[in-house]
Amino acid sequence: MAIRSMKFTPEVLLGAPRRSSAVPNAAGTLAVYTQTSYSFESHSKTNEIRVIEIQSGRSALITNDPGASNPQWLGADDQLVWLKTKTNGNTSFIVGDARQVDNTYTAGTVPGPVSDLKVTVIEPGKIGFAVSGKANQDGSLYNPQDAKKSHTTGRLYTSLFVRHWDSYVEPQKNSIFYGILEQTPLSPARRLAGKYSVSGLTNLISVSGLTGVESPIPPFGGTSDFDISPSAIVFIGKDPGLNPATHTACSCYYAPMFSWTSMSVSDIKTCKVTGLQGAMSSPVLSSDGSSIALLAMQKDGYESDKNRILYVPNPWNGDMIEVFESNDGKGLWDLSPSAISFAHDDKSLLVQTEEIGRGVLYQLPLQDIRKAKPDALKRLTRSGYVNDVFPAAAGSSSLLISSSSLVDNSVWSIIDPASPEAVQVVSSSGRGGSAFGLSPTQVDEIWFHGAENHPVHAWVVKPSDFKPGEKYPLAYLIHGGPQGAWNDQWSTRWNPAVFAEQGYVVITPNPTGSTGYGQPFTDGITGQWGGRPYEDLVKGFEYIEQNLAYVDTTRAVALGASYGGYMMNWIQGHPLGRKFKALVTHDGVFSMTSQLASEEQYFPLHDLQGPIWKKPENWAKWDPSRFTADWQTPHLIIHNELDYRLTIAEGLAAFNVLQMRGIDSAFLTFPDENHWVLNPENSLMWHKTVLNWINKYTGLPAVSDEPDLSAMNTLAL
C-alpha cells in the first residue's frame, strides 16, 4: 500500500493508516496484520484485517468488519481465525481462508467480550486457544450487557485500588480462558477436513485455584502477559497477597495442558525467584512447552528497575536461571530488555531492548547459559525501533521484524541472523518517510555533558526544507516517565516531525532517568526529580546555544507531558524558564502532595524515597508549586478529566496560578480522555491548539482551525 502526501501535517499524522505487527504463515509466503485509519472528511474510522504477500508486497483485504480483531493462523494451511465483537457483548470466532476472502464462517460464539487471542496446534485439526476477558467472582465470563443494573451509583472500597488509569475498579477481574478449535471431518470414511468449531471456554485461573490472581495485569496487560504451547500455558500475575497500588511483585504460573479439557488444582506450578522480588513480564514457552523464559525485576515497588532474563529449563523442578547473574546482584548486562521470545529451534532467545535511543534486537544462545556473559549477545538490528519479531516461516532461522522510525510509521523486514546486515524490506508503510514528505536526512543526534559531566544523548529533527545557513526556532521536547526515552521510533501522540514541519528544529534530550543508557543512569533520577535532570536540560540548552548555529535559541519553546509536564512546571519557576518564549504542560504535576491522589502509589513512594510522613522533605524539595512566585513565561496547560494518574486538579491549579499572576495562559481539557489524547478529532484539536500556541510566540504562521483535507494522504492499493 502506497501513501502519498505533500506535507506532514497533524491531519496526515492522524489520518495515516496504522498497521499492527505482521505475523507470517507457516510457509512464510503470507503475513496477516490489522490496519486502522481515520478520515477527517467523513469523521469515521476504518478497521481492517489484511494479508500481504511476502515476495510481491501485494496486500489483500480479508475483512473490514469494525468488530474484527486478533487474526491468527490456523496450523500449516492458509486458514485464519479472528475474533468478532457482537452488539450484545458476545464474541464470535470467525474462520476464513486467506486466499478466498469470501469463504468465512462462524466457528462458535462465547457469551462475553474476549480479546488477546493466541492459538497453538495440538495435533492436525485440533487447535488450542487462549483469550483474556473479565471474569465474574464465580469465574464465569463477564458480559457487561447482561449485568444487573444497580439502583445506586455508590461504590464502597476497603482497599486500594479505588480507580486505575481511567476507570474505577470493579469486582470483575482479568482472567485467561482457554478452549479448543476442533475440525470435524466432512466424511468419516474419506476423512475430508470440515469446519472448525469452538469447544467452549474454561477459566484457567479459576480452575487452577489461584485466589486473587489477575492476569493479564491491568491496566495495559495483554498477549505479552501469557503464552501457550501444545502442552502448557504460562502467565504472570501480581502477588495476590500484596496491595497492587503499593507493590509490583509478581509470580509466574506454569499450567500443564495434559488434555486441554480438564485440569487439577495440583497441576499448577508457581515460579518465583529468590532475590528477584519485583515485576515480571514477557513470559514465553519453548515450542513444545517444556521450557520458560521471562523477564523479572529485582526490586518490589520500582516499575523501572532493570529487567533480568530468566530461563527455566524444567518448570517441574523449579530451576530458574538468572542470565548474566553477578555476585553483587547488579547483573553483568547494564541494559534492561523489554521483551523476549524463543528462536525457531529453541536453541537461542531473541531479546529486545532499548539502547542509545533505539529499539534493538539481540540473539542469545542458550548453550552454556549459566556461564553466559553479555558478549554472547549478537546484535541483529542497528537502526529504528523493533516492535515485534517472528520466525519468517516454520522451521526457518530467518526473522520477520516489525519496526518503525522517526520518519516511518511501519516497516516489515526479513533478516537472517547469520548475516543480519543483509535486510530484505518486505513493506514500508511510509516508504522510508517519503510518503509523509519526510526523510532520514532530517534526523541527527548530538551528545553533550550534563550533570556531573555525564554524557547525555539527544535526537535532532530538522524541517524537511531545512536550508544550511538559516536559523530556526527551537522546540525543546521533554519526555515523560520519567524513566522513559525519546527513541528512533514513530509516535502519533508526540511526533517530533510534526513540530519540525512547522519550521522548528526539534531537540529531544534523554536526561538523567532515561532508559536505554544503562540502569545506573535510569536510577539516577531517584530523589532527584528537579535536580540532575533539570541540570542536564540547562546544559543541553547551553550546548545548543554554543554549538548549533542553525538554531535560534532566542525563539525557543519547551513542551512536555506527564513527567515532561512536571518539568515544564519546574522550569517555569527556575532560571531556564526565562530562556523560552512559551511553555506547554500536558497532564503534568503541579504539586507533589497531589500525587497522593494518584492510583499507583508505588511510583512516588519509590522516586521520592518514601511516603510523605517519613520523607516530607523530599516531597517538598521537588514541588513545583513552591516556586510559583517566579512564574513569568506564557504557558498552555492541558489536562484531561479521565486522567486518574495525575488528576485534573493539577492542571486547574497551575492554570489558576498563571491567571491570577496575569501571565498569558490558556487551559485545554477533554472530558473523555485519560492521560493521553486518543480520539482522532480530539488529537487534531490538541495538535492545532499546541502548534498555534507556540507558533504565536516564535513568529511562525498559525495553523488553520479547519482540517487541511487537501494535505490528507491518498491510498493506492
Side-chain angles (χ1 to χ4, degrees):
M1 180 173 292
I3 308 171
R4 300 186 180 90
S5 175
M6 295 301 294
K7 182 175 175 60
F8 190 53
T9 62
E11 291 90 344
V12 173
L13 168 69
L14 301 171
R18 305 183 190 186
R19 308 193 304 189
S20 70
S21 300
V23 182
N25 62 355
T29 55
L30 303 172
V32 66
Y33 63 100
T34 60
Q35 179 171 283
T36 61
S37 59
Y38 188 83
S39 169
F40 288 102
E41 191 167 18
S42 63
H43 305 287
S44 62
K45 177 183 177 181
T46 60
N47 177 69
E48 300 175 335
I49 295 176
R50 305 186 69 90
V51 166
I52 189 171
E53 291 183 346
I54 298 296
Q55 289 302 318
S56 69
R58 289 194 296 266
S59 174
L61 176 68
I62 300 297
T63 179
N64 59 2
D65 188 319
S69 65
N70 298 134
Q72 297 288 315
W73 295 103
L74 285 174
D77 54 22
D78 290 337
Q79 289 193 86
L80 290 163
V81 60
W82 62 87
L83 302 178
K84 176 182 176 179
T85 303
K86 304 185 74 175
T87 55
N88 62 0
N90 294 346
T91 306
S92 292
F93 288 67
I94 309 298
V95 175
D97 193 305
R99 297 189 183 275
Q100 299 178 40
V101 295
D102 295 327
N103 185 19
T104 63
Y105 62 90
T106 300
T109 300
V110 296
V114 296
S115 58
D116 301 322
L117 174 65
K118 284 191 171 184
V119 300
T120 184
V121 179
I122 302 171
E123 60 186 55
K126 189 175 183 180
I127 308 293
F129 71 83
V131 292
S132 70
K134 290 284 187 182
N136 295 306
Q137 291 173 302
D138 64 1
S140 61
L141 182 62
Y142 171 65
N143 188 338
Q145 301 279 7
D146 299 334
K148 184 179 179 180
K149 306 301 180 185
S150 174
H151 294 291
T152 178
T153 58
R155 297 182 176 97
L156 177 65
Y157 295 87
T158 57
S159 66
L160 301 176
F161 291 111
V162 170
R163 54 189 191 178
H164 201 185
W165 188 247
D166 59 4
S167 61
Y168 280 82
V169 172
E170 302 287 354
Q172 297 78 23
K173 304 299 181 185
N174 289 350
S175 197
I176 298 167
F177 296 82
Y178 70 88
I180 295 174
L181 276 162
E182 193 156 14
Q183 199 171 24
T184 55
L186 288 175
S187 165
R190 299 176 60 191
R191 305 297 297 172
L192 295 176
K195 292 183 176 181
Y196 282 94
S197 60
V198 174
S199 65
L201 291 182
T202 300
N203 186 326
L204 175 64
I205 296 176
S206 180
V207 300
S208 300
L210 297 171
T211 305
V213 174
E214 186 170 15
S215 185
I217 300 172
F220 304 120
T223 56
S224 62
D225 282 356
F226 68 96
D227 197 22
I228 70 173
S229 75
S231 63
I233 298 178
V234 65
F235 61 96
I236 57 170
K238 277 196 170 185
D239 188 330
L242 298 174
N243 191 307
T246 53
H247 293 271
T248 58
C250 291
S251 291
C252 176
Y253 303 95
Y254 179 82
M257 304 300 291
F258 296 117
S259 67
W260 280 83
T261 56
S262 63
M263 177 177 291
S264 168
V265 172
S266 61
D267 291 336
I268 197 78
K269 176 72 176 177
T270 302
C271 306
K272 196 164 178 66
V273 186
T274 302
L276 298 182
Q277 305 300 319
M280 291 180 170
S281 60
S282 194
V284 290
L285 290 163
S286 58
S287 57
D288 63 359
S290 64
S291 301
I292 306 171
L294 70 154
L295 303 175
M297 295 180 180
Q298 186 179 69
K299 300 175 184 176
D300 179 24
Y302 183 21
E303 64 178 357
S304 298
D305 194 13
K306 183 172 73 173
N307 275 320
R308 321 293 179 98
I309 301 171
L310 295 181
Y311 176 55
V312 190
N314 183 357
W316 293 108
N317 66 20
D319 183 19
M320 303 187 77
I321 301 168
E322 181 186 340
V323 182
F324 307 139
E325 186 177 12
S326 64
N327 292 332
D328 62 6
K330 295 181 179 180
L332 299 176
W333 197 28
D334 215 11
L335 296 179
S336 179
S338 56
I340 54 173
S341 57
F342 281 92
H344 76 289
D345 57 3
D346 297 331
K347 293 181 179 180
S348 62
L349 294 175
L350 301 170
V351 183
Q352 299 173 49
T353 188
E354 285 186 0
E355 184 175 16
I356 310 180
R358 295 160 177 85
V360 179
L361 180 65
Y362 282 95
Q363 187 172 34
L364 175 65
L366 286 172
Q367 186 177 8
D368 296 326
I369 194 63
R370 292 180 187 273
K371 301 177 182 179
K373 301 293 189 293
D375 59 10
L377 289 159
K378 182 177 182 179
R379 185 167 180 166
L380 301 182
T381 63
R382 296 285 171 183
S383 61
Y385 198 98
V386 174
N387 301 313
D388 220 337
V389 58
F390 295 95
S396 170
S397 61
S398 293
L399 304 170
L400 178 59
I401 296 172
S402 298
S403 64
S404 70
S405 73
L406 281 164
V407 297
D408 200 334
N409 63 344
S410 174
V411 181
W412 301 329
S413 54
I414 293 177
I415 65 168
D416 182 348
S419 53
E421 65 282 352
V423 180
Q424 174 195 343
V425 176
V426 174
S427 173
S428 167
S429 182
R431 289 190 282 123
S434 63
F436 302 120
L438 304 175
S439 167
T441 60
Q442 292 175 244
V443 180
D444 202 353
E445 49 193 317
I446 57 174
W447 289 87
F448 58 88
H449 291 287
E452 301 170 5
N453 212 35
H454 196 288
V456 177
H457 176 246
W459 291 102
V460 179
V461 183
K462 305 172 185 176
S464 58
D465 58 357
F466 178 83
K467 296 179 178 61
E470 293 190 6
K471 294 177 77 73
Y472 298 84
L474 168 67
Y476 211 32
L477 270 56
I478 313 305
H479 67 68
Q483 294 90 355
W486 294 107
N487 293 299
D488 186 10
Q489 180 183 20
W490 191 262
S491 173
T492 53
R493 289 186 289 116
W494 283 85
N495 191 302
V498 162
F499 294 91
E501 292 307 275
Q502 292 294 307
Y504 294 94
V505 168
V506 181
I507 297 184
T508 61
N510 285 326
T512 301
S514 298
T515 51
Y517 303 88
Q519 192 63 32
F521 191 67
T522 303
D523 294 342
I525 196 173
T526 303
Q528 283 285 323
W529 266 40
R532 292 191 198 103
Y534 173 74
E535 188 176 345
D536 289 342
L537 297 175
V538 170
K539 290 182 178 295
F541 194 92
E542 292 172 352
Y543 176 90
I544 296 165
E545 283 182 309
Q546 297 165 13
N547 295 277
L548 302 185
Y550 53 86
V551 178
D552 184 357
T553 53
T554 67
R555 298 162 62 209
V557 294
L559 311 87
S562 196
Y563 172 79
Y566 162 89
M567 185 52 71
M568 292 303 103
N569 295 342
W570 184 262
I571 284 173
Q572 174 70 280
H574 289 78
L576 183 57
R578 310 293 77 81
K579 296 280 189 176
F580 297 106
K581 294 293 187 182
L583 301 171
V584 177
T585 291
H586 174 101
D587 287 6
V589 176
F590 171 75
S591 169
M592 279 300 188
T593 306
S594 296
Q595 288 213 63
L596 291 169
S598 186
E599 13 86 290
E600 293 177 349
Q601 285 296 300
Y602 53 74
F603 178 74
L605 289 179
H606 175 272
D607 277 23
L608 298 175
Q609 300 176 299
I612 193 169
W613 55 92
K614 290 185 178 180
K615 295 286 185 177
E617 66 280 6
N618 287 7
W619 288 68
K621 183 176 183 179
W622 306 120
D623 190 332
S625 68
R626 290 177 54 226
F627 304 96
T628 51
D630 297 315
W631 285 26
Q632 301 176 33
T633 304
H635 205 149
L636 168 64
I637 305 292
I638 306 168
H639 220 108
N640 301 325
E641 290 198 27
L642 294 183
D643 186 352
Y644 297 157
R645 182 143 296 178
L646 294 170
T647 67
I648 193 171
E650 298 283 271
L652 288 169
F655 180 61
N656 288 349
V657 167
L658 290 162
Q659 287 284 298
M660 289 188 289
R661 286 186 54 79
I663 299 168
D664 194 10
S665 53
F667 181 72
L668 174 65
T669 185
F670 296 98
D672 54 346
E673 299 284 4
N674 54 37
H675 201 54
W676 304 326
V677 178
L678 301 179
N679 179 292
E681 300 281 356
N682 289 346
S683 185
L684 182 59
M685 181 182 180
W686 183 97
H687 277 86
K688 289 182 179 295
T689 302
V690 169
L691 293 175
N692 280 332
W693 180 260
I694 60 176
N695 288 2
K696 177 173 70 171
Y697 294 98
T698 55
L700 294 177
V703 179
S704 170
D705 289 333
E706 295 298 321
D708 182 10
L709 300 178
S710 66
M712 291 298 294
N713 52 286
T714 59
L715 304 181
L717 297 181

